């Protein structure tokens, strides 16, 4: 697949699959004193992604969106080959916003010049590991995930050189990891986290939602409802103990698990984890101090589809 700016008609978004070509475009933005906002994605775009693009456009002159399914954040048993690749519809979605100035569609061979294999013990080259924030919560079931995220985001930041970068709060741990990486590596980038986009019934928008059957979709809000009940136990009852805060959340999930079993719907619902952590350190909290910024989060399997979500306590942005 080869794309360039030369064939782009007026109003079309230039698509760059070669880093050198993109850098030439970026130099032009610099010459024109244009600020650049950046939204990194793996494609399969939905309204959540588009909300990031629109937020970037409000604060920056030019918005760059990257689409790259990053092999370094997949383990050998995970769904790299199955991950949806929908460039044509992604392009149309971005065009419809009127906010995207360029699309970066880099090749794996350029992103990983030393090559990349999913077997971590065989990997060669340079990787970025954000220690202390990558191996709890989402990092427990996926121990190499944030190493892959931090590595590819660093590479993309080096290519795009944005003034600001935009991430969705649905991936709360990712936001904390990237923010710390930006600070630790002294990158001249302002990181922004944008509130999660939700369906009318509260389900967090995700490219994985397309794997849910209509029956699964009916119960998929259980995690958001559970987290909401936990938040209510803090706000409404003033609970500060971890056990008291999470108890109503476990209750809702157990209830739905049992309902699905009783109705013999042909799929299982299974809790992966629930978490209550400090926003800055991602340390699991046994007690929530007064006005302490924290993240309530979790993951559930509905059938084979893993859904994640979170709610912030005493914080507006990660």
């Amino acid at each position: 697949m080869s794309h360039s700016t030369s064939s782009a008609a007026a109003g079309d978004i230039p698509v760059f699959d070669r880093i050198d070509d993109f850098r030439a475009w970026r130099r032009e933005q610099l010459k024109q004193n244009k600020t650049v906002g950046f939204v990194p994605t793996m494609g399969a775009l939905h309204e959540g992604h588009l909300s990031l693009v629109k937020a970037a456009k409000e604060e920056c002159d030019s918005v760059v969106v990257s689409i790259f399914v990053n092999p370094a954040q997949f383990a050998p048993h995970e769904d790299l080959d199955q991950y949806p690749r929908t460039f044509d519809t992604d392009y149309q979605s971005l065009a419809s916003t009127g906010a995207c100035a360029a699309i970066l569609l880099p090749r794996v061979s350029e992103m990983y010049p030393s090559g990349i294999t999913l077997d971590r013990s065989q990997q060669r080259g340079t990787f970025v590991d954000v220690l202390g924030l990558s191996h709890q919560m989402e990092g427990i079931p996926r121990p190499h995930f944030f190493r892959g995220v931090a590595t590819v985001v660093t590479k993309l930041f080096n290519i795009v050189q944005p003034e600001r970068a935009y991430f969705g709060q649905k991936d709360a741990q990712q936001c904390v990891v990237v923010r710390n990486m930006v600070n630790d590596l002294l990158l001249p980038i302002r990181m922004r986290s944008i509130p999660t986009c939700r369906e009318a019934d509260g389900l967090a928008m995700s490219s994985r939602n397309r794997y849910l059957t209509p029956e699964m979709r009916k119960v998929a809000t259980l995690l958001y409802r559970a987290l909401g009940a936990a938040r209510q136990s803090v706000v409404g009852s003033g609970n500060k103990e971890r056990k008291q805060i999470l108890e109503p959340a476990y209750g809702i999930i157990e209830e739905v698990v049992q309902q699905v079993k009783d109705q013999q719907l042909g799929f299982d619902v299974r809790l992966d984890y629930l978490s209550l952590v400090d926003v800055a350190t991602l340390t699991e909290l046994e007690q929530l101090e007064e006005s302490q910024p924290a993240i309530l989060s979790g993951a559930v399997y509905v059938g084979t589809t893993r859904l994640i979500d979170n709610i912030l306590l005493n914080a507006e942005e990660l």
Side-chain angles (χ1 to χ4, degrees):
M1 189 182 344
S2 186
H3 305 269
S4 71
T5 54
S6 56
S7 60
D12 283 356
I13 307 170
V15 180
F16 300 96
D17 67 350
R18 294 185 181 279
I19 292 171
D20 280 351
D21 292 343
F22 175 82
R23 283 181 162 149
W25 177 89
R26 180 66 182 91
R27 280 193 295 276
E28 286 305 311
Q29 305 300 301
L30 193 60
K31 284 179 190 169
Q32 295 169 38
N33 288 322
K34 288 186 175 177
T35 57
V36 169
F38 177 44
V39 181
T41 82
M42 294 213 302
L45 304 184
H46 50 71
E47 280 302 319
H49 295 109
L50 302 184
S51 74
L52 302 181
V53 176
K54 291 167 188 170
K57 184 58 182 168
E58 284 177 14
E59 298 180 353
C60 305
D61 298 318
S62 300
V63 180
V64 175
V65 176
S66 66
I67 297 175
F68 181 66
V69 181
N70 175 32
Q73 67 197 59
F74 288 82
H77 67 280
E78 290 180 327
D79 53 356
L80 174 62
D81 291 336
Q82 275 73 49
Y83 196 88
R85 290 161 172 83
T86 55
F87 178 77
D88 290 344
T89 50
D90 289 348
Y91 182 94
Q92 294 305 324
S93 296
L94 290 171
S96 73
T97 66
C100 179
I103 298 170
L104 176 63
L105 196 70
R107 303 170 184 211
V108 173
S109 58
E110 276 203 288
M111 292 297 286
Y112 292 95
S114 301
I116 186 71
T117 169
L118 299 192
D119 181 349
R120 192 181 181 205
S121 67
Q122 299 299 311
Q123 288 176 352
R124 299 289 177 268
T126 305
F127 293 86
V128 179
D129 217 343
V130 182
L131 302 179
L133 298 171
S134 299
H135 301 292
Q136 57 273 71
M137 299 160 69
E138 284 293 293
I140 294 171
R142 308 179 75 188
H144 311 317
F145 177 72
F146 288 109
R147 175 180 180 262
V149 169
T151 299
V152 80
V153 171
T154 301
K155 289 170 183 271
L156 290 168
F157 281 174
N158 283 334
I159 298 165
V160 177
Q161 301 192 357
E163 276 76 19
R164 294 174 179 233
Y166 296 78
F167 294 81
Q169 283 182 17
K170 181 173 79 75
D171 299 302
Q173 186 172 7
Q174 174 174 279
C175 289
V176 176
V177 166
V178 171
R179 188 180 292 285
N180 277 269
M181 182 187 80
V182 165
N183 290 339
D184 289 346
L185 297 182
L186 310 179
L187 301 178
I189 296 167
R190 168 102 191 272
M191 154 127 181
R192 299 277 283 109
S193 70
I194 305 300
T196 302
C197 269
R198 300 186 179 278
E199 304 288 356
D201 61 1
L203 181 67
M205 290 186 181
S206 169
S207 50
R208 290 173 188 265
N209 293 351
R210 67 185 66 200
Y211 300 130
L212 299 171
T213 66
E215 287 297 333
M216 291 173 180
R217 178 63 186 80
K218 284 177 193 168
V219 301
T221 58
L222 82 159
L223 181 56
Y224 182 58
R225 289 191 289 118
L227 296 173
R231 173 174 57 188
Q232 192 53 39
S233 84
V234 176
V235 177
S237 315
N239 286 338
K240 299 297 177 194
E241 300 291 329
R242 176 191 187 84
K243 187 172 182 299
Q244 290 177 318
I245 293 169
L246 294 181
E247 199 167 353
Y250 282 115
I252 285 175
I253 289 168
E254 282 163 19
E255 194 180 313
V256 175
V257 167
Q258 195 56 51
Q259 281 172 0
V260 169
K261 266 189 191 146
D262 292 346
Q263 292 170 22
Q264 298 182 331
L265 296 174
F267 62 90
D268 289 331
V269 171
R270 177 166 63 85
L271 175 65
D272 191 352
Y273 73 89
L274 286 176
S275 178
L276 173 65
V277 300
D278 178 83
V279 161
T281 65
L282 300 185
T283 307
E284 293 287 346
L285 298 172
E286 291 307 317
Q287 190 156 347
L288 186 67
E289 302 300 330
E290 194 69 41
S291 304
Q292 181 176 9
I295 306 168
L296 272 167
S297 68
V300 294
Y301 284 92
V302 179
T304 57
T305 301
R306 187 172 183 274
L307 303 176
I308 65 169
D309 206 346
N310 68 80
I311 288 175
L312 303 185
L313 298 174
N314 304 319
E316 291 296 314
E317 184 176 337
L318 290 162

